């Protein structure tokens, strides 16, 4: 019984030493397919279409990714011309040997290479890029397979020639180099375009996602009321700036974390319970925290007399009057901003949070003293 169940592929040892063993195996196979197939004459080249399934049948030792890699190596070495998408993305390989057809097509015997070997490093010398270099039609056809506009391709040509002229490096195939250059820039542009398409303007009714709230309240252990009170000021700030973004939740998380870190650092030493002094004034650090929240200093200072009067009359002791005052200022600012927005667009904002000033009647708001709760 024969140990060779099928016809073996015969390769040239010298060619394998020149272009690589895998490349030689695939080149021999493609030559066989070209000899027995029905190539199509287009311009100066003979093109053949091979189904990827058929190609894998002849090369069961390679997967599609391996085949694409070897095909790419042959193309980069200037041996093959390829006018089809990658095998991993399509189901067809359209190729031609990089040798122009003479008036009479060279004939070959079964199992032999053409009399003139396709351009390889052993048969074609490297050369610097000419100043007047232009991509050949097969290069443009291959780029067209990726739906790249001709205008975009033309725009990349001057930069490509200038770059490689200055470097002065020789190449076997400037066409394959140009294909890689254009594909890289096209994919970068498509990525940037897709990213810009996801950007949105800040809206008045914007709310952080549940994931963002969980990150802040559970993972970062930030007081939920503190987080919710930060929403109106965050929305107002970005409404006024008029910027677009696809990462509003990420920005909000960073905004709240910065405010919380500053807040806890400022208040961590103010913990001894005591009555409020008659001449009490907020610490300077508290105004810095309010600045981070875009709350005007004058607005906060106007609230000091009422705050002092209420707590002096109550006679209660509290560990951090600065914290208590900060809570009052943030609530009053939120109420102030809500009224301002309502008067401008004629509609009342609502909040799902129980007790929020944004979900109360005017009577409730005038009698609200939630900030006075110990």
């Amino acid at each position: 019984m024969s140990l060779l169940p099928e016809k073996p592929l015969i390769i040239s040892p010298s060619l394998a030493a020149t272009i690589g063993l895998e490349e030689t195996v695939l080149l021999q196979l493609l030559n066989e397919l070209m000899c027995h197939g029905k190539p199509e004459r287009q311009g100066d080249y003979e093109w053949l279409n091979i189904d990827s399934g058929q190609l894998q049948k002849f090369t069961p030792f390679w997967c599609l990714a391996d085949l694409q890699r070897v095909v790419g190596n042959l193309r980069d070495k200037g041996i093959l011309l390829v006018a089809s998408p990658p095998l991993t993305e399509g189901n067809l390989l359209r190729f031609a040997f990089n040798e122009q057809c003479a008036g009479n097509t060279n004939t070959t015997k079964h199992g032999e290479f053409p009399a003139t070997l396709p351009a390889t490093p052993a048969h074609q010398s490297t050369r610097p890029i000419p100043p007047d270099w232009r991509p050949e039609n097969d290069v443009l056809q291959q780029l067209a397979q990726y739906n790249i506009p001709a205008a975009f391709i033309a725009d990349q040509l001057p930069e490509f020639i200038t770059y490689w002229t200055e470097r002065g490096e020789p190449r076997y195939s400037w066409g394959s180099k140009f294909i890689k250059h254009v594909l890289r820039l096209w994919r970068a542009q498509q990525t940037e375009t897709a990213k810009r398409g996801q950007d949105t303007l800040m809206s008045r009714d914007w709310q952080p996602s549940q994931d963002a709230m969980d990150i802040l309240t559970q993972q970062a252990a930030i007081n939920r009321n503190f987080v919710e009170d930060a929403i109106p000021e965050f929305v107002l700030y970005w409404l006024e700036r008029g910027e677009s973004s696809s990462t509003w939740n990420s920005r909000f998380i960073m905004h709240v974390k910065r405010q919380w870190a500053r807040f806890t650092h400022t208040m961590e030493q103010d913990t001894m319970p005591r009555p409020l002094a008659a001449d009490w004034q907020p610490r300077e650090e508290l105004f810095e925290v309010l600045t981070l929240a875009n709350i005007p200093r004058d607005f906060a200072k106007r609230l000091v007399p009422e705050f002092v009067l209420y707590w002096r009359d109550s006679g209660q002791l509290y560990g951090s009057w600065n914290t208590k005052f900060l809570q009052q200022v943030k609530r009053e600012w939120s109420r102030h901003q809500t009224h301002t927005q309502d008067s401008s667009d004629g509609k009342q904002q609502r909040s799902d949070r129980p007790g929020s000033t944004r979900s109360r009647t005017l009577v409730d708001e005038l009698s609200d003293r939630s900030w006075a709760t110990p």
Side-chain angles (χ1 to χ4, degrees), residues 67-98:
L67 276 170
Q68 176 58 36
R69 173 177 55 82
V70 181
V71 167
N73 292 342
L74 289 172
R75 180 197 61 206
D76 294 343
K77 293 176 185 292
I79 299 172
L80 278 188
L81 302 177
V82 181
S84 57
L87 289 170
T88 52
E89 299 178 9
N91 58 1
L92 182 73
L93 173 64
R94 179 176 175 80
F95 74 94
F97 294 123
N98 191 10

Side-chain angles (χ1 to χ4, degrees), residues 285-319:
E285 291 87 344
L286 183 139
F287 290 110
E288 294 178 4
V289 173
L290 293 175
T291 299
L292 289 174
N294 298 304
I295 300 177
R297 184 189 186 96
D298 292 343
F299 180 87
K301 290 186 72 69
R302 289 198 299 268
L303 300 178
V304 173
E306 178 187 3
F307 180 80
V308 172
L309 178 62
Y310 177 85
W311 286 107
R312 289 282 296 171
D313 289 345
S314 72
Q316 296 189 39
L317 306 180
Y318 197 70

Side-chain angles (χ1 to χ4, degrees), residues 5-7 9 25-26 29-30 33 50-64 67 87 91 93:
E6 54 206 353
K7 180 182 177 181
L9 283 171
V25 171
L26 183 58
L29 174 63
L30 294 179
L33 295 174
I50 297 295
D51 182 83
S52 60
Q54 183 183 10
L55 195 57
Q56 277 198 294
K57 179 181 178 181
F58 292 123
T59 57
F61 42 85
W62 281 329
C63 64
L64 273 180
L67 276 170
L87 289 170
N91 58 1
L93 173 64

